[in-house]
Amino acid sequence: MKEASLVLSIDIGSTAVKVIAMTKEGEIAASESGHYPTSSPYPGWVEQDPESWWEAAAAAIKGCLETVGPSAIGAVSFSGHMSAPVLLDEDGTPVMPSILIADTRSHEESAYLKAHYRGDFLQLTGNEPIDAFTVSKLLWIKRKRPEAMDRACTLLFPKDYIRYKLTGQLGTDQTDAGNSLLYNHGNGEWAMELIRELDLPAHIFPQIHASSDIVGYASQNASIATGLLEGTPIVAGAADMACSQLGTGAVHAGTLAITLSTSAQVVMRVSSISTSGAGQVTYHPSAIPGTLYGMGSVFTGGLGIDWAYRLITGKSRLAAEDYAAINQLCDGMKTIPPGSGNIMFLPFLVGSGTPHFDAADRATWIGLSTGQTPELLMHSVMEGIAFNIRESMEVFQKGGHSIDKVHLGGGGSRNQVWSAMIGDVLGKNLSLLRNRDASAIGAAMLAGVGTGMCSMEDIVSQKLISTSEPAPCSADRHRSYDAIYARYLKAYRALNEWYRNE
């Protein structure tokens, strides 16, 4: 029999599953992906059927194994999108669709929690209760879907559901538990006193495992569905951003990782919760035991680029050739100076994230006139998003965190003009991550730790992370951007007041 030399990582993203087979040196031997639908039956609702994750994951696992063979897999681990509750009945069947992180139907519950329990949540987690965390969603279900809550026997999260389908074992890990806001990082247990105070059913909260623990083995039914060998070790895994922290190398104090996807995330390891950052960035348990990471959320990342291109071209959706056209637009931006000819874009197409978290905020173009080219308009959008990223960095800096290295990943990092611009706006030399599937890579690392293929020390030493040499920022352009950034902050304050008074 072929010796097991690979680990398999299953990344349940918000729109697609990505499965990779990785060597202990961090090389990708095979990959496969699959998509699933998202439903928005009412404004502000964003939900998915957990069974669609399983169907896509099973097919992607089978496709990946066709390349490497099932006997090569030493262990399986997971990454999954955060905060989305999966409530199972006594037969292990979901009682309702999973409410995704972007869903805002629980805004009344969030307002109630903020009014009555803000201090409790800040003391316990360092975070204010907002719609993005699971606790508000659970209270909405209790109020609006009481029959579903009555039927629920177990609360899981997206990656946990796939692990359950592979093993029949129920449970979660500390990173997804933390994103509920009902987890006590100090003792590693559910915050049962607060859970009972909120009148949530205590019995639904499952066992919490360490992210790198082996928690079960592939069952016979899972083997039939996926092609995995029965008995393959299955590791707990972690939430997607906790895995991304590992896969981007943001595991040392002083390393800031920026991921440019539809949204953008700004992540770094923190030694403790900073009261100055409370409500501006969010704090989460790391997959590295006993540690935390902080995250700045930029809701309009690559979304802004797609939106601007569709607006400029009149297209309703983008095809492969459109992304090539965006690259051509960027080639024409290389001579555009900072400030985009005095055009400024405030990048809040879906409200603002860090540091404001204000749903009233809206995207705004300032300085529009005749004769402005598509390149100039797109350049201003990229600058606005870069300024919002800088706001996240400055929250960490004000909290006492020095930033010595910046790693840039995600699909947007392929754009050389935008990457260089971000470095100039931040005043930091940027290193590009060579593998952009950070969450899948992080989950594979956890599988390696679980089976002894690598150690947590290997992860912390960034032995498995490959980056480019740091690209130096332009001191002259950074000085120009400092002045423009100050104007951006003034414009934000004025426009926030305008939108709040609508």
Side-chain angles (χ1 to χ4, degrees):
M1 181 181 286
K2 185 177 178 182
E3 181 184 357
S5 58
L6 303 172
V7 291
L8 197 73
S9 162
I10 303 169
D11 177 23
I12 304 298
S14 58
T15 59
V17 58
K18 181 72 172 283
V19 177
I20 66 170
M22 192 175 87
T23 70
K24 63 181 180 180
E25 292 81 25
E27 299 297 322
I28 306 302
S31 68
E32 194 73 32
S33 60
H35 291 78
Y36 26 78
T38 299
S39 176
S40 297
Y42 303 101
W45 289 38
V46 187
E47 60 187 32
Q48 290 175 345
D49 178 4
E51 191 61 25
S52 69
W53 306 334
W54 169 241
E55 292 170 359
I61 294 168
K62 187 171 288 188
C64 205
L65 295 181
E66 287 175 358
T67 300
V68 299
S71 61
I73 303 302
V76 180
S77 188
F78 309 86
S79 163
H81 57 91
M82 301 178 354
S83 301
V86 183
L87 293 172
L88 304 185
D89 66 15
E90 61 182 5
D91 298 322
T93 302
V95 301
M96 62 178 288
S98 178
I99 302 173
L100 269 60
I101 190 171
D103 188 291
T104 58
R105 74 183 75 175
S106 59
H107 59 91
E108 291 183 14
E109 285 73 19
S110 296
Y112 168 80
L113 291 172
K114 192 174 289 188
H116 298 280
Y117 292 95
R118 180 177 181 271
D120 299 89
F121 285 110
L122 285 175
Q123 183 177 2
L124 184 68
T125 70
N127 297 309
E128 294 187 350
I130 56 176
D131 291 337
F133 291 115
T134 314
V135 60
S136 298
K137 304 176 192 303
L138 292 175
L139 289 182
W140 183 92
I141 294 168
K142 184 169 77 75
R143 181 169 68 92
K144 290 290 194 177
R145 296 287 305 275
E147 77 288 352
M149 189 62 83
D150 288 344
R151 289 174 53 207
C153 292
T154 305
L155 166 67
L156 299 180
F157 298 94
K159 61 99 170 57
D160 303 324
Y161 182 68
I162 303 304
R163 192 183 61 248
Y164 164 70
K165 297 291 281 188
L166 289 177
T167 65
Q169 301 296 314
L170 299 169
T172 191
D173 82 305
Q174 76 272 12
T175 66
D176 264 329
N179 294 323
S180 72
L181 288 197
L182 296 170
Y183 172 76
N184 187 328
H185 178 70
N187 62 19
E189 298 176 358
W190 292 110
M192 281 300 172
E193 184 176 343
L194 182 56
I195 286 168
R196 293 189 180 97
E197 173 73 17
L198 296 174
D199 197 27
L200 290 169
H203 69 271
I204 69 172
F205 293 88
Q207 181 179 359
I208 299 172
H209 303 280
S211 304
S212 59
D213 281 353
I214 294 175
V215 296
Y217 299 86
S219 68
Q220 183 180 40
N221 287 341
S223 178
I224 293 169
T226 66
L228 284 167
L229 292 182
E230 185 178 353
T232 300
I234 307 295
V235 170
D240 58 358
M241 290 313 302
C243 288
S244 180
Q245 182 203 9
L246 309 184
T248 57
V251 292
H252 271 307
T255 299
L256 185 82
I258 302 166
T259 302
L260 293 176
S261 48
T262 302
S263 55
Q265 298 80 35
V266 184
V267 171
M268 71 181 303
R269 179 171 176 168
V270 296
S271 57
S272 61
I273 293 165
S274 168
T275 54
S276 68
Q280 297 184 313
V281 296
T282 53
Y283 296 98
H284 308 263
S286 172
I288 301 171
T291 69
L292 298 163
Y293 68 93
M295 182 172 73
S297 297
V298 177
F299 292 162
T300 297
L303 171 68
I305 309 304
D306 287 2
W307 170 84
Y309 180 80
R310 285 188 283 109
L311 189 71
I312 290 166
T313 62
K315 295 193 173 185
S316 59
R317 59 176 54 188
L318 305 189
E321 60 267 21
D322 293 306
Y323 290 101
I326 290 173
N327 290 333
Q328 288 181 336
L329 272 179
C330 292
D331 286 341
M333 296 179 194
K334 292 178 180 176
T335 59
I336 297 176
S340 304
N342 212 27
I343 306 173
M344 181 175 288
F345 181 73
L346 274 69
F348 307 122
L349 289 168
V350 288
S352 63
T354 297
H356 315 291
F357 286 103
D358 193 337
D361 285 329
R362 292 291 181 267
T364 309
W365 249 321
I366 300 172
L368 293 179
S369 182
T370 58
Q372 292 165 332
T373 65
E375 289 85 353
L376 202 61
L377 295 174
M378 185 69 82
H379 192 268
S380 72
V381 171
M382 291 180 173
E383 285 183 331
I385 298 167
F387 291 147
N388 196 202
I389 290 170
R390 176 166 167 173
E391 288 185 274
S392 288
M393 181 185 76
E394 289 186 346
V395 173
F396 287 119
Q397 290 173 319
K398 289 173 185 175
H401 303 287
S402 63
I403 297 171
D404 308 313
K405 293 181 182 178
V406 179
H407 291 173
L408 185 64
S413 66
R414 293 185 177 92
N415 188 313
Q416 295 179 1
V417 171
W418 200 14
S419 297
M421 178 192 293
I422 291 170
D424 293 340
V425 167
L426 302 184
K428 298 291 182 181
N429 301 336
L430 299 188
S431 297
L432 299 182
L433 291 159
R434 292 204 166 94
N435 193 310
R436 296 177 175 88
D437 293 318
S439 293
I441 296 294
M445 291 176 179
L446 293 172
V449 172
T451 53
M453 283 189 179
C454 67
S455 66
M456 200 58 80
E457 288 72 26
D458 290 334
I459 294 176
V460 173
S461 69
Q462 302 183 27
K463 179 180 177 181
L464 302 175
I465 301 296
S466 178
T467 65
S468 68
E469 288 297 314
C473 73
S474 164
D476 289 341
R477 292 176 73 88
H478 178 60
R479 279 192 292 272
S480 297
Y481 274 129
D482 270 347
I484 300 165
Y485 177 66
R487 295 174 62 202
Y488 161 90
L489 295 177
K490 289 180 180 178
Y492 171 78
R493 290 190 290 271
L495 287 164
N496 175 256
E497 181 180 354
W498 170 270
Y499 291 123
R500 279 179 166 274
N501 290 331
E502 278 188 329

